[in-house]
Amino acid sequence: MSKLNMMDARCTALFASGLQRSDAPSAGAVAEAVRVTVRQFGVRGCAARMAQEFGDHPETAADRMRWIRQLVGEMPARPAPAPVGHARRAHCAAA
C-alpha cells in the first residue's frame, strides 16, 4: 500500500473510531485505535461510517477530520511492532 493510501486508511479508521479530542491520545493510543477499528469494521466499513457522518453532520465531521489528519501526520510511517508477549498470546489463542 502506498504511503498516501496508508495515511488515508488510517484517517478513515480513526474517524470511525471512538477516539475523541478530549482523550488527548498518545501516539500509541492512536495506533491502537486504528488497529482495533480496522479489525472491527474493515477499511470499507470505516469508510461507510465516515461517509454517513459527513452526510449527517458535515459541520462537525470536517472538524473531526482536520484533527484526525493532524494526528495521523504525527504518527511514524510504520507502526511499532506488537510486544513479543502479545504476539505469543495471539498465537496461542489461535491454536
Side-chain angles (χ1 to χ4, degrees):
M1 186 176 282
S2 75
K3 184 177 180 180
L4 181 59
N5 288 342
M6 182 61 76
M7 183 173 177
D8 289 345
R10 286 176 173 172
C11 287
T12 302
L14 275 177
F15 192 97
S17 77
L19 202 62
Q20 296 297 314
R21 189 180 304 232
S22 60
D23 296 336
S26 66
V30 170
E32 182 64 15
V34 168
R35 279 191 290 275
V36 167
T37 306
V38 168
R39 203 172 296 140
Q40 184 177 8
F41 302 118
V43 174
R44 288 185 178 169
C46 291
R49 288 173 162 272
M50 184 177 74
Q52 178 159 1
E53 199 60 29
F54 267 98
D56 293 346
H57 308 285
E59 65 289 342
T60 56
D63 268 350
R64 180 168 174 78
M65 183 51 79
R66 277 190 288 276
W67 173 66
I68 285 168
R69 290 189 61 80
Q70 178 185 358
L71 286 177
V72 170
E74 295 168 358
M75 290 177 72
R78 291 183 166 244
V84 174
H86 178 71
R88 287 185 185 149
R89 283 192 299 271
H91 177 71
C92 293

